[in-house]
Amino acid sequence: MNNKKLASHIQDFGALIALVLLVVVIGVISPEFRTLSNFLSLLRQSSINGFIAFGMTCVILTGGIDLSVGSVLALSTALCAGFITNGVPVGLAMVLALIIGTALGAVSGLLVTKGRLQPFIATLITMTVYRGATMIFMDGKPISNLGDSFTLKVVGKGNFYHIPIPAITFVVMFLIFMFVLEKTTFGRRVYATGSNEQSAKLAGINVNRTKLITYAISGCMSALSGLILLSRLSSAQPTLGSGYELDAIAAVALGGTSMNGGRGRVWGTFVGILIIAVLNNGLNILGVSSYYQDVVKGIVILIAVLSDHNR
């Protein structure tokens, strides 16, 4: 019995154990990795994938998936940059970008709920359409000349007592998502929808509305990540966000959330985000080619999925 409990605990905290081991190993190999400035930089980098992964967690918990997050990021960021260059106040442009991202995510939700399309197909369609719309809007060229706005700079580059603002926002969003999913009625509906949709309907849960809200949240989080990138790069790129859906899904899978929905914790996603960030950061410091980095991340995802299958 004790052995079973031990095995259960190892499965539950496997991602956290893996993170600690990863930090220790890379820290021993590279002294540069274990500096305070590098850890702060790592947290700043984590925020971009982190916001997307939090939204993705909600979608996957309902039994869905969102492949459009990178394209939503690109289109909302491009429109935000376009607003700014056309004289719209920066603060208003950023709020509009978040609203647009939410609306774009809701479109995917409508295709899944009202259009009755499989989430993979629905979000593959929106991913393609949104990426094409971004290219058309930007004419395949970056949008620069965003001015010297303090508001825009502080979102992605600012610090509060030497702690990066994106890192602070990342932790705050984690706490918000943890509270919403674990302590609210909406959170219970999300889990119920992913666990057994028919039973959730019989229990009086509006399954379609729950799914729609999760896709809207995913779109909003993608737009927020886009604003961080816009601030850091001081320009919007037409290819921005390409492949980001893979890192987000990887973080969710690493955190122990079931790809079939209904089981998982946002704190697991938080750990998964840090694992991806530590891998990227550590391999970069060690001078490992980006091609090998993709192979390593693929193997890590495979291990996470196999672990989920065994559970």
Side-chain angles (χ1 to χ4, degrees), residues 66-78:
D66 190 354
L67 301 179
S68 69
V69 288
S71 298
V72 170
L73 182 155
L75 183 53
S76 59
T77 304

Side-chain angles (χ1 to χ4, degrees), residues 35-45 159 162-164 167:
T35 62
L36 177 60
S37 61
N38 183 61
F39 280 122
L40 290 176
S41 175
L42 190 148
L43 283 174
R44 188 195 300 268
Q45 294 165 7
N159 293 287
H162 304 293
I163 302 174

Side-chain angles (χ1 to χ4, degrees), residues 107-130:
V107 170
S108 295
L110 286 172
L111 291 177
V112 171
T113 55
K114 300 299 182 182
R116 299 185 181 280
L117 297 178
Q118 289 293 327
F120 182 90
I121 299 300
T123 57
L124 181 64
I125 291 169
T126 52
M127 177 184 77
T128 307
V129 171
Y130 295 162

Side-chain angles (χ1 to χ4, degrees), residues 191-214:
Y191 280 100
T193 298
S195 295
N196 190 314
E197 189 170 317
Q198 292 304 317
S199 295
K201 287 179 179 178
L202 292 173
I205 295 173
N206 190 328
V207 169
N208 284 346
R209 183 171 63 187
T210 301
K211 289 182 178 180
L212 180 61
I213 292 173
T214 60

Side-chain angles (χ1 to χ4, degrees), residues 54-116:
F54 291 150
M56 186 73 75
T57 301
C58 294
V59 172
I60 290 178
L61 282 173
T62 64
I65 197 164
D66 190 354
L67 301 179
S68 69
V69 288
S71 298
V72 170
L73 182 155
L75 183 53
S76 59
T77 304
L79 292 171
C80 181
F83 293 148
I84 293 171
T85 54
N86 281 284
V88 176
V90 172
L92 177 58
M94 294 170 74
V95 170
L96 289 174
L98 293 175
I99 294 172
I100 290 168
T102 303
L104 294 174
V107 170
S108 295
L110 286 172
L111 291 177
V112 171
T113 55
K114 300 299 182 182
R116 299 185 181 280

